[in-house]
Amino acid sequence: MATIGTAAAWRRIPGIATTALSGLSFLNFFSTAALPPFSSSSTGTTSPHPILNLLQEEARSPRRRADLLALHALALTSGLLRHPFPASRLVDVLLRPGAAGDPAHAAAVFDSLDSPDAYTWNAVLAAQVRRGGPPADALGLYFRMRSAGAQPPDGYTFALVAKACSSPGCGVGIGREVHGQVVKCGMEALLVVRNSLMRMYCGIGLLNFARQLFDETPLSCLDSISWNTMISSYGKSGDVPAARGLFDRMPSRNLFSWSAMTDGYVANAEYSQALVLFNEMQGRGFRPDAVVLVSVLKACAHLGALDQGRWIHLYAERNKLGLDVNPVLGAALVDMYCKCGYLDVALQVFDATHDRDVVLWNVMISGLAMHGHGKGALELFRRMREHGVVPNGSTFLGILRACSHVGLVDEGRETLRSMQDHHVKPQREHYGCLADLLGRAGLLEEAEEVIRAMPMEPQAAQWGALMSACRMHKNVEMGERIGKHLISLEPQDGGRYVLLANVYAEAGRWEDAREMRRAMEEMGVKKEIGCSFVEWNGTIHEFIVGDKSHPQTGKIYAMLSEMEKKLQMVGYVKDTSQLLIEMGNEEDKEIALSYHSEKLAIAFGIINIGRGTPIRVVKNLRVCRDCHTYAKLISKIYRTEIIVRDRNRFHLFRDGSCSCRDYW
DNA sequence: GTAGGGTTAG
């Protein structure tokens, strides 16, 4: 207490020298002489002290730094700071998020307090947690509070400490320590504290500990926060059945519950289930808010569910959910339109937003990349910098992918080089993207050099990019070497064997190709099954190779043979070169090829979707060369647009050609 | 102070 009120204390507060003048004018306006003395009754609701009023007001709406300093000055010169209550309020105000104060300023006031109360300690702890430092710092503060001894910690204290110790980096030890302290202070029955501990264990990844706490609590004592915390954490950890089990059992659900469960499905790629749940939620009278919509939009984006996505767009506009100012909602919507093939609508939505953060820009850049607009992506990147938005690693990934899709080799090299100018360190993925770009362009040696020279150990994904390039450019020597390395890295991935087998087969090395087939059998691995989705009438229809489970199967196969006849008239010949030589004769190969999932999906689209509407197909793997030629011709013969999103990018087939210009 | 959200990775 010794230094407070002296010039020395003032100087300890950063910025005071330059702004004191403004503080003094504030003082003149509100003369200290007129201020009543502070007494314990001054905290009452009937006639709170005027400075306390100002402090409360300040807490509600933070003002300029000069005002904050003036307030401090006023509290100081009127002697108010000698009383712990207003002093603690000042610390609180200085630490508020968004306040113009700073930690050093607050610390100076805090250090001057004789025995801060629990409220003040909590304010300091909260600020510490907000800063997100190591958990040890928060725990240290907690132990300082305990050893100061004047005030015992309360529920808030433990909620804060638990929050600070809930990152995945925290071990069992820290979690147990916090829990132990809660028990020691007799706080374990307090529901806020229990919920905080559950949240902490979930955050650390110790779901069983959280569940134990949950199960030990009598049902009547649990609140929706307890349930929702568990549901959300199970969902995030990949245990959808456990999440759903609790969701079905909970006595009363609120919007958070539906939201957490929906997102659990989305996080585990159960997109159709997410849509089902979303519809059920509305059936029960819950009005979705922006957060729920973001989850559902993500599901729509993955499924290519444009109708549902458009409905959400309309809903968000009608209900004023702040599309233009909520960058998260904006990004989800833009991404959905991009992934459903509607780049121009995505651009419109993007242009209509005015609170654009880095992710929103990234989404738009990746969207352009996906659609093969390399130059457009580079142009958007230029605009992004003009707006003063700082690019991050994902931004550069988007740009590299954009370059890759259109073969902008020089721009790609320059992009990777320029990352250091933006203080972004290239990661494996960046080198992989560049290798992919160089490989596609036929610069196989340079691509390999990029992978070998990267400062970290290359992984299968990077070698895989090179392997695809070897296949594309029929480089058997490099393909064999890289292919074998890949198989040794990931012996369980069937795709690796298939790729090498194809490289051998194309070089006429049939015996080696068959050997790959045998190796696959020995390892008991299978190739991932191709699967395509089409949306029709608001429902997603799914097809796998040779699928006969769809209700319209008869019509679809009839359509396929009709289509094939028409194709043959324009000179179409099946391209079997990309098929694994697992089948004995050419005839079997041709049949297998005829029933690739995207062909079934296209036939379904021709039957059901009106000519003015594009047929939109989402495929889990990459489109094979034969299906690509097929789709081009079909788009001409049937005068329809076909939009195929494969694992890598978009193909817009129109009038016999594709937007990728056969570069993919 | 305790519950739900967006990009990318070949």
Side-chain angles (χ1 to χ4, degrees):
Chain A
M1 193 56 119
T3 53
I4 207 75
T6 66
W10 274 100
R11 300 232 170 71
R12 286 224 312 267
I13 300 164
I16 200 79
T18 48
T19 44
L21 215 59
S22 138
L24 288 176
S25 62
F26 191 91
L27 273 180
N28 288 338
F29 177 73
F30 203 144
S31 164
T32 39
L35 283 171
F38 184 84
S39 71
S40 50
S41 69
S42 309
T43 62
T45 43
T46 44
S47 61
H49 194 276
I51 292 186
L52 270 179
N53 265 339
L54 281 173
L55 281 169
Q56 302 281 348
E57 201 180 295
E58 184 65 33
R60 275 194 298 273
S61 55
R63 285 173 298 185
R64 291 173 308 120
R65 180 170 169 79
D67 293 336
L68 211 53
L69 293 173
L71 202 54
H72 185 180
L74 202 56
L76 191 65
T77 49
S78 61
L80 207 65
L81 281 192
R82 276 194 294 274
H83 300 274
F85 184 74
S88 70
R89 285 320 99 116
L90 179 63
V91 173
D92 184 31
V93 162
L94 291 173
L95 288 168
R96 291 268 161 167
D102 58 66
H105 187 169
V109 182
F110 183 74
D111 289 342
S112 74
L113 300 180
D114 258 347
S115 56
D117 58 7
Y119 181 101
T120 314
W121 276 105
N122 290 343
V124 176
L125 198 50
Q128 168 74 37
V129 175
R130 265 198 305 278
R131 270 202 297 283
D137 290 3
L139 270 176
L141 210 51
Y142 165 78
F143 283 116
R144 259 180 68 198
M145 172 183 185
R146 298 243 35 203
S147 59
Q151 291 262 348
D154 58 13
Y156 286 77
T157 315
F158 287 111
L160 287 162
V161 173
K163 191 190 176 93
C165 302
S166 62
S167 60
C170 292
V172 196
I174 290 184
R176 281 310 200 193
E177 175 65 41
V178 175
H179 196 161
Q181 289 297 324
V182 166
V183 175
K184 212 175 201 168
C185 297
M187 294 273 173
E188 74 273 29
L190 215 62
L191 190 60
V192 225
V193 175
R194 276 185 105 78
N195 285 342
S196 299
L197 287 176
M198 283 182 218
R199 172 75 197 76
M200 175 190 74
Y201 281 132
C202 288
I204 299 174
L206 302 166
L207 269 83
N208 290 340
F209 287 13
R211 182 56 183 264
Q212 199 181 336
L213 260 171
F214 180 88
D215 287 338
E216 282 168 357
T217 313
L219 203 62
S220 60
C221 296
L222 293 168
D223 64 3
S224 63
I225 295 179
S226 334
W227 288 90
N228 294 340
T229 301
M230 293 307 303
I231 291 169
S232 155
S233 303
Y234 276 128
K236 284 192 174 66
S237 77
D239 195 343
V240 175
R244 184 71 205 220
L246 289 181
F247 181 78
D248 288 335
R249 268 177 48 211
M250 72 185 290
S252 91
R253 302 178 192 129
N254 59 18
L255 194 58
F256 282 81
S257 325
W258 289 93
S259 173
M261 193 60 234
T262 307
D263 200 57
Y265 281 126
V266 173
N268 292 280
E270 297 188 31
Y271 305 114
S272 308
Q273 281 305 311
L275 296 189
V276 169
L277 198 73
F278 178 62
N279 289 315
E280 192 187 334
M281 167 189 146
Q282 291 177 86
R284 306 261 179 122
F286 285 92
R287 307 273 299 153
D289 66 0
V291 178
V292 182
L293 295 187
V294 166
S295 283
V296 182
L297 279 169
K298 195 171 171 177
C300 293
H302 277 272
L303 293 168
L306 177 69
D307 286 351
Q308 181 75 265
R310 258 202 287 243
W311 183 90
I312 291 175
H313 187 182
L314 264 172
Y315 179 93
E317 274 178 346
R318 281 208 193 116
N319 293 281
K320 311 231 177 315
L321 295 184
L323 258 185
D324 49 344
V325 290
N326 181 343
V328 180
L329 184 55
L333 198 59
V334 168
D335 189 49
M336 184 279 294
Y337 277 121
C338 285
K339 290 196 172 135
C340 286
Y342 282 56
L343 188 63
D344 38 350
V345 186
L347 280 164
Q348 279 168 25
V349 175
F350 178 79
D351 284 334
T353 54
H354 34 261
D355 262 4
R356 296 182 198 146
D357 62 5
V358 63
V359 179
L360 184 49
W361 285 96
N362 291 353
V363 168
M364 198 63 249
I365 288 172
S366 311
L368 287 162
M370 248 189 288
H371 285 265
H373 294 252
K375 296 276 185 194
L378 289 167
E379 166 61 18
L380 198 66
F381 179 55
R382 197 187 53 74
R383 273 175 61 197
M384 169 179 175
R385 280 174 302 167
E386 268 174 17
H387 278 77
V389 179
V390 180
N392 61 21
S394 303
T395 317
F396 289 102
L397 268 182
I399 298 167
L400 284 166
R401 276 171 60 85
C403 294
S404 173
H405 288 323
V406 283
L408 293 170
V409 175
D410 292 335
E411 288 84 347
R413 286 196 198 101
E414 170 56 20
T415 298
L416 192 84
R417 195 213 54 76
S418 74
M419 286 179 69
Q420 60 181 357
D421 304 341
H422 296 276
H423 311 290
V424 181
K425 224 172 140 186
Q427 302 298 312
R428 280 194 183 86
E429 292 80 7
H430 298 98
Y431 294 104
C433 269
L434 182 61
D436 180 68
L437 162 59
L438 296 166
R440 276 174 207 278
L443 303 166
L444 295 175
E445 280 76 22
E446 190 183 342
E448 181 168 6
E449 187 46 37
V450 166
I451 297 176
R452 295 208 181 275
M454 57 193 251
M456 56 291 275
E457 184 69 20
Q459 290 172 345
Q462 290 83 51
W463 293 119
L466 187 57
M467 185 61 193
S468 300
C470 293
R471 164 81 207 284
M472 197 182 293
H473 296 284
K474 305 195 195 312
N475 185 325
V476 192
E477 288 75 20
M478 193 188 278
E480 180 170 33
R481 185 161 49 83
I482 305 297
K484 284 186 171 165
H485 180 54
L486 260 173
I487 291 172
S488 74
L489 282 178
E490 290 191 342
Q492 291 308 315
D493 186 332
R496 310 298 186 200
Y497 300 83
V498 175
L499 216 47
L500 183 50
N502 279 322
V503 168
Y504 283 138
E506 280 180 353
R509 290 169 60 176
W510 304 107
E511 189 44 46
D512 289 320
R514 272 189 284 276
E515 176 53 34
M516 282 302 108
R517 169 89 183 133
R518 276 193 290 272
M520 262 178 98
E521 265 165 25
E522 255 169 53
M523 297 298 296
V525 294
K526 287 202 182 75
K527 197 187 171 207
E528 194 179 341
I529 292 177
C531 143
S532 297
F533 306 96
V534 198
E535 186 186 50
W536 177 59
N537 258 357
T539 322
I540 303 294
H541 298 257
E542 186 180 341
F543 300 92
I544 59 167
V545 204
D547 205 325
K548 297 213 164 149
S549 62
H550 194 275
Q552 291 189 19
T553 292
K555 276 169 130 181
I556 291 170
Y557 280 78
M559 178 53 83
L560 279 171
S561 58
E562 182 200 308
M563 284 157 72
E564 198 148 319
K565 275 187 204 122
K566 292 195 180 181
L567 285 168
Q568 274 160 8
M569 288 197 293
V570 296
Y572 161 77
V573 182
K574 285 200 186 79
D575 178 352
T576 53
S577 65
Q578 286 196 322
L579 270 194
L580 177 60
I581 36 70
E582 61 198 300
M583 278 157 283
N585 56 51
E586 282 295 311
E587 200 180 319
D588 287 344
K589 277 195 200 176
E590 288 191 11
I591 291 169
L593 207 54
S594 303
Y595 305 132
H596 267 181
S597 66
E598 52 269 57
K599 291 200 178 96
L600 298 180
I602 291 171
F604 173 83
I606 298 278
I607 295 167
N608 297 296
I609 297 171
R611 282 300 166 269
T613 313
I615 298 168
R616 294 177 306 103
V617 178
V618 174
K619 180 163 191 208
N620 66 335
L621 305 174
R622 301 203 46 197
V623 184
C624 82
R625 210 179 296 158
D626 181 65
C627 286
H628 197 263
T629 311
Y630 186 94
K632 283 200 287 190
L633 294 172
I634 292 291
S635 75
K636 191 178 173 79
I637 296 171
Y638 287 85
R639 294 169 194 277
T640 184
E641 275 184 19
I642 303 170
I643 303 172
V644 178
R645 185 182 104 204
D646 73 6
R647 175 177 277 199
N648 219 24
R649 59 164 297 153
F650 269 96
H651 304 267
L652 170 58
F653 301 96
R654 182 194 286 157
D655 197 30
S657 58
C658 177
S659 62
C660 77
R661 282 171 292 180
D662 302 335
Y663 190 83
W664 87 98

